[in-house]
Amino acid sequence: MIKVLVNGAYGRMGQTVLGAVLDDDDLELVAAVDLRGGLDVGELIGRGMCGISVTSSLKEAIDAHKPDVMVDFTRPDSVFKNACAALERKVSPVIGTTGLTEEDRQTIEKLTQEHDTPAFIAPNFAVGAVLMMIMAQKAAKYMPHAEIIELHHDEKLDAPSGTAIQTAEMIKKTRESFRQGHEDEKETLPHARGAEYDGMRIHSVRLPGLVAHQEVIFGGLGQTLTIRHDSYNRESFMPGVLLACKKVRSLKGLTVGLDKLLV
């Protein structure tokens, strides 16, 4: 039985993870953490009392309950220190919070080596989103002109999304770098063309009613190709989260991307 701590328990993703872990026969929920704290987990997610209270101190929860894995769906400004605290206590972080910098990732990688404890980061835990990124990478070999449009709910704090960035990184590995669009192109309104990554454009949409969506549009001579993925609810991420919880302890160092587990 793999012991799991869920960090960011009061959030919408955190609550969904709590329910998924409780329902999985291979996982044991041993602790839940959120800055607000106080409620019983069962009360929080609309079930009967389960005897596990949400506490406010991550370090104290780790020391008291000795989890194997910490699932983190908190905030971009706190996920890095949470990952460090877990690794220093030999707990494997499974991170769904986006916003980590490359320097953050390098530090996490170093800590995995120092403490002989693996870590896992996924910009997106939906299997369909991973397949979308893989297909986009393959398409870029034949249709290198591409733009990425990602759409999320209006409470998301970072833009562009981690999924969009990872998609762009994967496309970059396939195509030769070049700047898209007309060489004399000018924006009459700032940022009208979106963010630029390796010459391609990334556009972020934030609206109520959305969950997590992305399309990659490829343009070629007389044709376009659109590859799109839509998550309509947070349950769509749970198979990937549970898979990462079960496999992270068998990994080495830092692993980034759910595609590494789909073998």
Side-chain angles (χ1 to χ4, degrees):
M1 190 75 74
I2 300 168
K3 297 180 179 179
V4 178
L5 177 153
V6 176
N7 195 23
Y10 274 53
R12 287 176 292 184
M13 277 297 295
Q15 292 183 45
T16 308
V17 174
L18 288 171
V21 172
L22 284 172
D23 291 338
D24 194 288
D25 293 337
D26 297 322
L27 304 175
E28 178 187 1
L29 181 70
V30 296
V33 177
D34 195 282
L35 290 177
R36 286 168 282 183
L39 289 177
D40 181 273
V41 165
E43 180 185 10
L44 175 63
I45 64 175
R47 303 189 185 186
M49 302 287 279
C50 69
I52 301 172
S53 296
V54 181
T55 58
S56 59
S57 171
L58 175 61
K59 294 178 181 179
E60 290 179 7
I62 291 175
D63 292 340
H65 300 285
K66 311 296 183 187
D68 302 304
V69 175
M70 175 197 71
V71 179
D72 189 290
F73 281 99
T74 55
R75 293 170 55 95
D77 57 1
S78 60
V79 59
F80 174 67
K81 65 179 181 181
N82 296 339
C84 293
L87 288 168
E88 288 166 358
R89 290 161 175 78
K90 294 188 175 295
V91 176
S92 292
V94 169
I95 298 172
T97 310
T98 55
L100 287 167
T101 67
E102 183 58 35
E103 183 179 357
D104 292 338
R105 291 188 183 188
Q106 291 175 2
T107 300
I108 290 171
E109 172 75 51
K110 182 179 178 181
L111 287 173
T112 65
Q113 303 297 332
E114 289 179 359
H115 298 282
D116 192 26
T117 304
F120 182 81
I121 299 172
N124 197 312
F125 279 98
V127 173
V130 174
L131 296 175
M132 175 266 298
M133 289 186 277
I134 293 172
M135 293 175 187
Q137 184 178 30
K138 292 182 181 297
K141 178 179 179 181
Y142 305 99
M143 300 180 74
H145 291 261
E147 300 213 5
I148 300 169
I149 305 173
E150 57 93 353
L151 309 91
H152 284 79
H153 56 88
D154 58 345
E155 293 185 11
K156 185 172 176 60
L157 298 180
D158 56 317
S161 68
T163 302
I165 294 172
Q166 185 177 1
T167 304
E169 291 172 346
M170 293 171 68
I171 290 174
K172 179 181 179 181
K173 294 177 181 178
T174 299
R175 72 170 201 169
E176 293 185 7
S177 299
F178 69 98
R179 183 182 182 277
Q180 296 178 185
H182 196 283
E183 61 180 8
D184 295 327
E185 177 183 80
K186 295 181 180 178
E187 294 178 319
T188 55
L189 289 175
H191 313 302
R193 291 285 289 116
E196 182 177 343
Y197 182 94
D198 196 46
M200 73 187 88
R201 297 289 180 165
I202 303 176
H203 310 268
S204 297
V205 177
R206 298 289 179 266
L207 287 171
L210 296 171
V211 178
H213 318 262
Q214 179 173 293
E215 61 182 33
V216 188
I217 305 175
F218 296 91
L221 185 61
Q223 62 182 322
T224 62
L225 169 67
T226 300
I227 302 173
R228 181 178 174 111
H229 174 263
D230 298 277
S231 282
Y232 297 108
N233 56 48
R234 287 165 181 81
E235 284 76 12
S236 66
F237 305 115
M238 293 307 102
V241 172
L242 298 178
L243 178 65
C245 288
K246 295 172 185 179
K247 289 202 170 186
V248 63
R249 298 293 284 185
S250 65
L251 303 174
K252 295 291 184 182
L254 173 62
T255 302
V256 179
L258 191 64
D259 56 301
K260 311 300 191 305
L261 305 184
L262 300 180
V263 295

